[in-house]
Amino acid sequence: RAFQGDSTVEGLREDLANRLWSLFQRTSTQEWPWFEDSVTYCNARLSQALIVSGTRMHRTEIVDAGLRSLDWLVSLQVSHDGDFAPIGCNGFLSRGGAAAAFDQQPVEACTVTSACLTAHGITGDARWMVSASSAFEWFLGQNSLQQWLYDASTGGCCDGLHAERRNRNQGAESTLSFLLALAEMRTVHPTVIQPERALAFPLTT
């Protein structure tokens, strides 16, 4: 949006979007609608890139690929209790294999929240808002261990979820992941943080 009308930037966007779409076309199948033979890190950004770029380029086939891959990714990341459960970094997921349950990373909750909000904005389909909310609530205890990753006493976010505990370190990537997800959720749902979940400091979005 910032460079709308700049032919150089728009040409670069088209080139990159076509490359990503080509990867999806070459690798995806009915059972594996993905861009490569593994699902690893910041996964939802790939789908989101197609949804955003395809929309700006008026390419419905690219948007559809983004939505299809995101729908599949979301379906993989649900616990037995129905909570968001991102693919873990201790093994990730390879085609034909099982997804690693842990360690679950804040960046995955952030990117799924963002991508689903984008999908909702494009399609108007309420189920994407449900998926975005589920991913965001992962930070607030709706996860495999029912433990908060966001720490209201510091304003930080724990670095991940192990099989038996939180990683209590609060690094920059994790904290920014929470704050980015919070900022995006607030654009569509200003009361997403209730009084009992108040931030330790004011956040301007």
Side-chain angles (χ1 to χ4, degrees), residues 117-135:
L117 289 175
T118 294
H120 177 263
I122 296 300
T123 68
D125 190 333
R127 69 190 178 92
W128 290 117
M129 183 60 71
V130 173
S131 295
S133 297
S134 178

Side-chain angles (χ1 to χ4, degrees), residues 73-87 99-102 104 134-135 138 141-146 161:
L73 179 65
V74 168
S75 73
L76 294 177
Q77 302 188 107
V78 182
S79 72
H80 293 301
D81 296 326
D83 295 322
F84 176 71
I87 295 168
F102 297 96
Q104 298 177 13
S134 178
W138 180 88
Q142 293 300 309
N143 52 54
S144 301
L145 300 186
Q146 300 298 296
L161 202 64

Side-chain angles (χ1 to χ4, degrees), residues 5-91:
D6 186 317
S7 59
T8 300
V9 175
E10 290 182 354
L12 179 60
R13 177 185 62 198
E14 183 172 3
D15 179 51
L16 293 174
N18 282 329
R19 288 190 201 182
L20 188 56
W21 185 48
S22 294
L23 287 175
F24 181 79
Q25 289 179 297
R26 287 204 303 268
T27 307
S28 67
T29 63
Q30 189 67 33
E31 297 76 24
W32 184 269
W34 198 241
F35 303 85
E36 51 191 348
D37 290 328
S38 58
V39 182
T40 57
Y41 197 72
C42 283
N43 302 296
R45 292 297 188 204
L46 299 177
S47 302
Q48 187 177 20
L50 289 190
I51 297 168
V52 172
S53 296
T55 299
R56 301 294 290 186
M57 294 160 59
H58 306 290
R59 297 274 298 278
T60 57
E61 70 277 18
I62 291 181
V63 176
D64 289 345
L67 292 171
R68 181 183 167 207
S69 60
L70 181 60
D71 191 35
W72 178 75
L73 179 65
V74 168
S75 73
L76 294 177
Q77 302 188 107
V78 182
S79 72
H80 293 301
D81 296 326
D83 295 322
F84 176 71
I87 295 168
C89 65
N90 291 339

Side-chain angles (χ1 to χ4, degrees), residues 106 136-141 143 147-161 166-171 174-179 182 193 196-202:
F136 179 74
E137 289 288 331
W138 180 88
F139 290 106
L140 308 179
N143 52 54
Q147 293 188 16
W148 280 48
L149 278 295
Y150 167 62
D151 184 348
S153 68
T154 65
C157 179
C158 295
D159 273 352
L161 202 64
R166 294 171 295 174
N167 181 337
R168 292 185 177 276
N169 187 57
Q170 298 177 13
S174 300
T175 297
L176 288 172
S177 291
F178 170 74
L179 293 175
L182 174 62
I193 296 294
E196 66 272 16
R197 294 175 173 174
L199 287 168
F201 52 88

